[in-house]
Amino acid sequence: MNPPLENYLKDASLFRGKAERACFPSTEKEISQLLKEANQKKIPITVSGAGTGLTGARVPQGGTVLSMERLNRILKIEWDDSAGSGFAVVQPGVILKDLQEALEPRGLFYPPNPGETAAFIGGTVATNASGSRSFKYGPTRRYVRRLRMILPNGEPLELSRGQTKAEGGTLSIRLSNGVRIQIPIPTYSMPPVKNTAGYFTAPDMDLIDLFIGSEGTLGVFTEIELAVLKKPEAVVGGLLFFDSEKECARFTWEARRIGRAESAGTRLDPRLLEFFDSRSLKLLLKKHPRIPKEAGAALFFEQETQAGQEDSVHQPWGHFAPIPKEFRHDLPVLVNEQVALNGFRKIGTDFAVPDAKAEAMLDFYLEILGKSGIDTCLFGHLGDNNLHANLLPKTQEEFDRSKGIYDLLARKAVELGGTVSAEHGIGKVRIPYLEMMIGRRGLEEMARVKRALDPNGILSPGNIVPVELLHAAHGSINSP
Ligand SMILES: Cc1cc2nc3c(=O)[nH]c(=O)nc-3n(C[C@H](O)[C@H](O)[C@H](O)COP(=O)(O)OP(=O)(O)OC[C@H]3O[C@@H](n4cnc5c(N)ncnc54)[C@H](O)[C@@H]3O)c2cc1C
């Protein structure tokens, strides 16, 4: 029996939607037929992954939900010792945790590790997900070698990295039915930070990169080939406590600088640098009473090393507390418990800024959150200058004010040359902030991309591109 439709009308953002039905295809042919029919009848189709998204991206606004859960097989895992490289081929409904567990006994691993491992691989590619290890390993985009998909018009497309590059401001696709689609590349520039806000663009970009991070709007992924790596022999990790947030941040940035300076001859090479402010530590104290009560901030680090070398790698870090494995994952759980008690939705940020502006952004967070009078906590990927400020309002007045504070913080991140979404995407709830970053013109350029591939605007409408721009009076430039 199929799960109830109700399950697909929300995601982890608590944004709510509506739909007439859900379908559960298990073949590309079924997806293709569904999309062809949807074009004829002008029915919106919203692609659904596991629903762990934080932006309402898989939440339908009517029409049909296209659940990917039956396309859930790991098709191949290979490692070539002589080349020192390997890959996994998966269907999009494979759960991230299942892929990680399948790789583990073969001594392999897949680096992207968003905080929620119940996500589907298809969802992580569609949002270009990142995680704490992205400090060393980068986002999902870096690992996607090949994509099979069904385009919004129902036609199949297979793309390998390196196969099709942009020329003269245009990406060109020739389909098996002879139709040629020309896609004008947006001219906005991508901020030099971890970023998943809006369609990817670069003058000589690879076509595959347009689809990665496109949040279900440009195609339905049906098969994904991912690069995998050899698992490190050993990982050391620990928690360092500091008197203040600034002290912790300065230490972290210095560690990052030394780690990146090849000439320093150092063995510092952290794979993650995660920050917790004093209020985060207060929340964590409920589960971890060994946290020093006077601690003003903490840094959680991990570094890969060779088996037997763990002790010598500890030394550059000085004194640290052994870390309970679940420490980092407990914080979102504790935040959610607090939200349930408060009875108001939390407001959470996902901004990132360039290295040179990290201190200015941190100062702004500390000042604005500190004087808000609202319960807050600030934590996350300090190595990537991608902190999550969480505002936990207890009254309607605090909730309204929290939204104003989110706005203020977003404006600051953009002013400092950063992004309004480093890892969660834009979905339906963050479009105004994307406009803040790339302007109305940027949104219009994205709408031209969308219209080139989906002239009827049937695939996951309402994500990334404002709906009113999908049907604007610019003609399609597709030609037979
Ligand atoms: C506690 C918690 C922690 C999190 N931590 C992180 C984190 O550290 N880093 C991070 O990046 N994210 C994080 N997230 C957000 C979320 O897990 C990611 O965005 C994830 O990639 C979403 O995957 P999903 O399968 O749940 O997708 P969904 O939420 O179901 O959908 C997300 C988007 O993907 C599209 N999509 C899904 N499948 C396909 C497909 N086959 N073809 C085309 N489009 C498709 C949907 O249309 C939608 O636009 C966190 C979420 C939670 C709840």
Side-chain angles (χ1 to χ4, degrees):
M1 215 173 66
N2 292 333
L5 179 61
E6 176 61 25
N7 290 8
Y8 301 88
L9 305 183
K10 58 181 189 300
D11 67 359
S13 70
L14 305 181
F15 182 80
R16 299 276 156 174
K18 57 180 188 206
E20 278 72 58
R21 66 176 183 133
C23 41
F24 303 86
S26 46
T27 64
E28 287 183 347
K29 200 167 165 206
E30 288 171 70
I31 298 172
S32 166
Q33 277 166 354
L34 186 79
L35 288 171
K36 284 184 175 165
E37 206 182 295
N39 273 293
Q40 277 162 10
K41 299 185 181 161
K42 309 277 188 292
I43 298 171
I45 304 279
T46 301
V47 191
S48 178
T52 69
L54 294 165
T55 64
R58 77 120 185 206
V59 181
Q61 301 293 282
T64 302
V65 171
L66 177 56
S67 168
M68 302 310 291
E69 64 201 63
R70 294 219 174 118
L71 283 158
N72 60 2
R73 282 182 305 135
I74 296 177
L75 302 172
K76 198 186 277 184
I77 295 177
E78 277 192 23
W79 179 263
D80 177 348
D81 256 333
S82 57
S85 65
F87 64 93
V89 180
V90 301
Q91 291 186 316
V94 167
I95 294 169
L96 176 61
K97 186 163 181 280
D98 290 349
L99 175 62
Q100 287 167 340
E101 286 176 2
L103 292 168
E104 166 88 31
R106 297 165 198 240
L108 303 175
F109 91 123
Y110 174 59
N113 69 327
E116 178 54 89
T117 54
F120 289 175
I121 295 294
T124 63
V125 174
T127 56
N128 186 31
S130 297
S132 48
R133 290 200 298 244
S134 300
F135 172 65
K136 180 176 169 92
Y137 288 106
T140 297
R141 180 182 305 285
R142 196 183 283 181
Y143 299 89
V144 180
R145 300 188 354 165
R146 182 175 60 84
L147 279 180
R148 273 180 71 83
M149 70 187 90
I150 305 294
L151 291 174
N153 62 5
E155 293 300 322
L157 178 68
E158 178 158 341
L159 281 177
S160 293
R161 188 167 287 287
Q163 182 186 316
T164 309
K165 295 272 189 174
E167 272 179 45
T170 305
L171 284 160
S172 203
I173 305 176
R174 184 169 285 281
L175 300 177
S176 52
N177 65 3
V179 168
R180 192 160 60 92
I181 300 177
Q182 286 185 284
I183 307 164
I185 303 173
T187 58
Y188 50 79
S189 36
M190 311 284 286
V193 296
K194 184 167 100 175
N195 177 37
T196 187
Y199 295 146
F200 182 89
T201 182
D204 58 347
M205 68 181 281
D206 195 307
L207 178 57
I208 202 169
D209 281 322
L210 179 66
F211 292 95
I212 300 165
S214 64
E215 301 191 35
T217 61
L218 302 181
V220 182
F221 307 142
T222 54
E223 193 177 295
I224 301 164
E225 183 175 312
L226 299 166
V228 297
L229 302 181
K230 265 266 183 263
K231 225 179 93 189
E233 286 180 24
V235 177
V236 290
L239 260 178
L240 291 164
F241 293 102
F242 296 83
D243 290 338
S244 73
E245 284 93 357
K246 286 298 292 277
E247 201 186 314
C248 176
R250 289 209 181 105
F251 177 90
T252 309
W253 294 324
E254 182 59 8
R256 177 175 71 187
R257 192 190 63 74
I258 295 171
R260 283 180 179 163
E262 283 172 42
S263 58
T266 170
R267 285 189 293 159
L268 255 187
D269 180 22
R271 72 172 183 178
L272 59 82
L273 292 166
E274 297 283 300
F275 168 87
F276 301 87
D277 77 343
S278 57
R279 295 172 191 220
S280 304
L281 294 180
K282 283 207 173 68
L283 272 176
L284 281 161
L285 250 177
K286 291 184 192 164
K287 278 203 164 179
H288 301 282
R290 286 183 59 205
I291 292 175
K293 293 200 174 42
E294 66 287 359
L299 173 68
F300 168 40
F301 70 91
E302 271 183 10
Q303 172 158 334
E304 294 165 2
T305 183
Q306 291 164 340
Q309 295 288 307
E310 292 92 329
D311 286 346
S312 60
V313 176
H314 289 176
Q315 274 151 37
W317 299 97
H319 215 63
F320 69 89
I323 182 162
K325 248 188 160 171
E326 65 284 6
F327 182 90
R328 206 160 40 91
H329 293 286
D330 281 343
L331 188 56
V333 177
L334 287 160
V335 166
N336 287 342
E337 284 172 10
Q338 190 61 50
V339 168
L341 277 178
N342 291 350
F344 284 87
R345 191 160 61 78
K346 76 165 189 185
I347 307 282
T349 72
D350 178 31
F351 314 136
V353 295
D355 287 359
K357 304 293 178 183
E359 185 155 13
M361 191 71 207
L362 179 66
D363 286 345
F364 198 66
Y365 277 129
L366 296 176
E367 182 199 334
I368 299 297
L369 300 180
K371 69 182 184 197
S372 69
I374 298 169
D375 284 349
T376 64
C377 56
L378 181 67
F379 61 92
H381 321 304
L382 188 58
D384 288 320
N385 311 316
N386 169 212
L387 294 179
H388 301 300
N390 279 228
L391 292 122
L392 311 172
K394 293 197 285 291
T395 62
Q396 186 63 44
E397 186 276 328
E398 285 192 355
F399 183 74
D400 294 341
R401 217 149 39 80
S402 297
K403 289 201 282 188
I405 291 173
Y406 183 100
D407 259 51
L408 203 65
L409 294 169
R411 247 172 243 292
K412 187 70 175 179
V414 170
E415 181 192 309
L416 294 175
T419 178
V420 295
S421 182
E423 54 181 23
H424 298 156
I426 296 298
K428 300 190 175 67
V429 302
R430 298 211 174 121
I431 292 177
Y433 301 100
L434 181 60
E435 182 167 3
M436 196 185 268
M437 186 175 146
I438 61 170
R440 192 69 182 170
R441 180 163 164 210
L443 293 184
E444 281 162 2
E445 290 181 340
M446 289 201 316
R448 288 177 67 200
V449 172
K450 171 76 172 155
R451 283 199 303 273
L453 282 157
D454 183 11
N456 293 317
I458 54 132
L459 195 60
S460 304
N463 284 354
I464 315 185
V465 181
V467 178
E468 71 271 16
L469 292 182
L470 293 184
H471 304 289
H474 305 263
S476 158
I477 54 169
N478 298 354
S479 63

